[in-house]
Amino acid sequence: MTTIALPGTDSTTATPQAAPPVRRSGAKGGTGGRAGRAGPVTYTLLTLSALVSIFPLYWTMVAGSHTNAEIAATPPPFLPDASLFENIGAALEQAPIGLAILNSVVVAGSITVGTVLFCTLAGFAFAKLRFRGKGLLLSLVIGTMMVPTQLAVIPLFMMIAELQWVNQLQAVVLPTLVSAFGVFFMRQYLISALPDELLEAGRVDGASTARIFWSIVVPVARPAMAVLAMLTFLTAWNDFFWPIIALTNSNPTVQVALAGLGSGYVPQRAVIMAGTLLGTLPVLIVFAVLGKQIVGGIMQGAVKG
Amino acid sequence: MATVSFQQATRVYPNSERPAVDALDLDVADGEFLVLVGPSGCGKSTSLRMLAGLEEVDSGSVLIGDRDVTDSPPKQRDIAMVFQNYALYPHMTVGENMGFALKLAGVKKTEIAGRVAAAAKILDLEAYLERRPKALSGGQRQRVAMGRAIVRQPQVFLMDEPLSNLDAKLRVQTRTQIAALVKRLGTTTVYVTHDQVEAMTMGDRVAVLKDGVLLQCAAPAELYDRPANVFVAGFIGSPAMNLVTGAAVEGGVRLGGTVLPVPRDRLARAAAASGRVTVGFRPESLQLVGPGEGFEVVVDVAEHLGSDAYLYTRLAGADPDDALHPADVVVRTEPRSSVVPGQSLWLGVPPDALHVFDPATSQRVD
Ligand SMILES: Nc1ncnc2c1ncn2[C@@H]1O[C@H](COP(=O)(O)OP(=O)(O)O)[C@@H](O)[C@H]1O
Ligand SMILES: [Mg+2]
């Protein structure tokens, strides 16, 4: 479980680390160019934090290629070897990891699309539209953030049982299609990033509210939507508590399937670790491909202010 | 083309007791360029937004042509608006910004392209049609905002301080360009500014607002020559008209140690309520006269501008601590006069350049 948090810690440490060189070049040259020259101190810090971030992933590979006894030895092994692939094969046999990854993609993908769409819609309404009961509704939305998930689990389970959704993906997707945090986050962003005049210009130009939303609000909100998408996807991918209640090992998400791996009489850590590696790879790939754009989105929003 | 008419139009913002615009009555003729001017917070933008449909009208009505649009949404009013900060859509190119309204109206693509190109030509924006607003200078953005309005060929142009984000030199240039362009298009225009020079140079007529109330609406020359009240008198003209209040005495008004002659009937009516009279005279209408002929002032500062010079003076014999009745008098003189600070001068006001107001009502007395 620990390594799965890796992309999150990686990206959160990467952002502040990336900031100093940019800020420096701005202060020195005033040109604001990208080619700020970072000193050796910066590079040392960056290297260190990169190593710290990468280590859990690396250790997953090491632990995934050694038996329980080898891992427990002193000194422990430091290099992965080819038995990693055997263990991955074992993990694939013991749990339906392929299906789990597919399910997780569907679940996290739907939750992300839904959350970003609904939170942007609601955030826009709360930020810029006038309607009766706005203040009360907003306090209600924010209030739900203070209710712990654990409290809602039993009634939620009774509901999905009633709907006969147990062990079906919609049981995991629907309850999290919109989040109070996301609504609040989008509202705060739009209050500051979307000038009223832009909406008024749209109205004078003859746009309906729906048209204004798609043609004016969404393009302005895009950086915040990217951040929300990233956070939501990670949370959904890593979610364990509700999926393990709502789903079973015959139709699991990645986290549920991984939990199934460790359930033998003597858990084989190597197999668990190999499975964990498999379950983390898709997220890593998403970030390798989209990382630049996501960070770009964050920076763009910050600069535009 | 259309006329515009405000009829007792009033706007009271929620949680505010005083109306931001109070029973505004104003008629704008077809093709006229009307300027709303007044100090910040006087309700100019609110009036314009009521006309645009962006602000509710609490009572009274607003007409465009013969149509009562009081409760119509902006899109049904056939108006185009230029905002103070331009409000260009940041993610659209210049061309898309200008064509957006036409696209929404379902105009054919080829026609949109043609009209955008024509507007871009007029505004000298042809080279920038593919750029995003953030890659433009302030002046270019301003022109895109104008372009967005003119491609629509609306009934009425509404402009809310469209020049206030430009630097002083560009502002003067653009001011003439806008006035000429709008004149050529012949579209009815309501233009808001806090700058009285802009108002006087651009407007066919100028409406002066203060605290949500329309004080006077007239052609610039009329506003200058016959201000209806003390506020308009002081607001229009730069440097401002000298306005001094003094006790009415036999034959005139006492200014400091001397008496300025005021025609008998005007003096009587202006002083009827309070026994005092407010007189106004513009810096350029004051004449140097011989000692004992007009009223006496003492020079504080002499400012030489090259083309002319301004003397900042005080009424001789006035109480310098009387904040209620300022005794400052500004005089325009020949550029190379040899007047020095501390010197005392005698000034005369030609009878036709003297403005008389009743201090009790602030209204002009003729
Ligand atoms: N949205 C609003 N809510 C409450 N009061 C407002 C609002 N907008 C403007 N006002 C008030 O109404 C008055 C007129 O404002 P405005 O029309 O913007 O003035 P101007 O454009 O002449 O500077 C001001 O006193 C202002 O504080
Ligand atoms: Mg204003």
Side-chain angles (χ1 to χ4, degrees), chain B residues 280-320:
Chain B
F281 32 83
R282 297 202 178 271
E284 57 271 30
S285 56
L286 287 168
Q287 293 163 344
L288 292 177
V289 293
E293 276 180 51
F295 59 96
E296 190 185 10
V297 296
V298 180
V299 178
D300 279 333
V301 177
E303 232 178 49
H304 297 277
L305 300 180
S307 58
D308 38 31
Y310 288 98
L311 308 177
Y312 295 86
T313 70
R314 254 173 312 113
L315 290 174
D319 176 2

Side-chain angles (χ1 to χ4, degrees), chain B:
Chain B
M1 308 305 118
T3 58
V4 167
S5 176
F6 290 89
Q7 296 175 352
Q8 292 289 305
T10 302
R11 172 65 177 146
V12 187
Y13 281 109
N15 307 325
S16 133
E17 280 151 33
R18 210 175 47 80
V21 174
D22 195 355
L24 178 64
D25 270 314
L26 188 61
D27 288 298
V28 188
D30 190 7
E32 187 178 24
F33 194 117
L34 182 103
V35 179
L36 288 176
V37 71
S40 178
C42 70
K44 308 178 293 288
S45 296
T46 305
S47 311
L48 198 71
R49 293 163 53 81
M50 288 159 81
L51 176 54
L54 296 171
E55 208 66 71
E56 259 173 66
V57 178
D58 291 297
S59 66
S61 50
V62 176
L63 281 76
I64 296 178
D66 301 325
R67 222 151 46 89
D68 187 333
V69 295
T70 313
D71 298 313
S72 313
K75 68 190 272 191
Q76 288 171 14
R77 298 189 182 204
D78 199 6
I79 44 141
M81 187 152 173
V82 179
F83 292 84
Q84 181 166 4
N85 58 8
Y86 315 139
L88 302 178
Y89 309 122
H91 53 285
M92 295 186 202
T93 64
V94 168
E96 287 165 348
N97 260 286
M98 295 210 267
F100 187 59
L102 299 180
K103 190 170 144 192
L104 291 178
V107 176
K108 277 209 283 315
K109 272 207 170 112
T110 47
E111 194 189 336
I112 296 180
R115 278 161 76 171
V116 167
K121 185 155 191 231
I122 295 175
L123 292 161
D124 201 13
L125 285 170
E126 287 162 301
Y128 307 107
L129 282 177
E130 296 306 316
R131 286 211 199 163
R132 296 275 161 90
K134 75 171 180 236
L136 298 177
S137 72
Q140 288 162 347
R141 285 180 203 180
Q142 205 284 326
R143 296 208 298 277
V144 177
M146 283 298 297
R148 198 164 65 174
I150 66 176
V151 289
R152 292 189 46 193
Q153 304 169 356
Q155 302 258 19
V156 188
F157 286 138
L158 312 184
M159 306 190 190
D160 193 350
E161 312 218 14
L163 303 181
S164 60
N165 283 342
L166 302 180
D167 63 61
K169 194 171 161 202
L170 199 53
R171 189 153 53 213
V172 174
Q173 272 174 16
T174 314
R175 165 174 107 196
T176 7
Q177 284 164 1
I178 290 184
L181 175 61
V182 169
K183 195 94 292 178
R184 204 172 89 208
L185 298 171
T187 310
T188 312
T189 302
V190 181
Y191 184 104
V192 162
T193 179
H194 64 266
D195 179 352
Q196 58 94 14
V197 179
E198 225 168 276
M200 298 293 278
T201 50
M202 297 178 87
D204 294 328
R205 278 189 310 150
V206 176
V208 183
L209 268 75
K210 181 181 180 254
D211 299 337
V213 178
L214 176 64
L215 294 182
Q216 186 174 10
C217 179
E222 165 90 1
L223 218 52
Y224 189 83
D225 293 337
R226 291 176 39 83
N229 53 53
V230 172
F231 179 80
V232 176
F235 190 75
I236 299 294
S238 172
M241 181 190 284
N242 297 297
L243 288 160
V244 282
T245 303
V249 296
E250 184 58 31
V253 52
R254 177 169 293 285
L255 298 184
T258 43
V259 173
L260 179 72
V262 175
R264 177 178 295 277
D265 61 324
R266 285 206 266 169
L267 182 69
R269 277 184 291 137
S274 60
R276 302 172 71 85
V277 177
T278 299
V279 286
F281 32 83
R282 297 202 178 271
E284 57 271 30
S285 56
L286 287 168
Q287 293 163 344
L288 292 177
V289 293
E293 276 180 51
F295 59 96
E296 190 185 10
V297 296
V298 180
V299 178
D300 279 333
V301 177
E303 232 178 49
H304 297 277
L305 300 180
S307 58
D308 38 31
Y310 288 98
L311 308 177
Y312 295 86
T313 70
R314 254 173 312 113
L315 290 174
D319 176 2
D321 297 327
D322 186 356
L324 275 181
H325 303 106
D328 301 322
V329 174
V330 182
V331 190
R332 191 178 79 180
T333 63
E334 294 299 304
R336 270 161 267 284
S337 70
S338 55
V339 177
V340 292
Q343 185 176 345
S344 121
L345 299 173
W346 286 83
L347 301 172
V349 187
D352 57 348
L354 182 70
H355 305 266
V356 182
F357 304 94
D358 181 346
T361 61
S362 295
Q363 294 302 305
R364 177 183 190 86
V365 176
D366 276 314

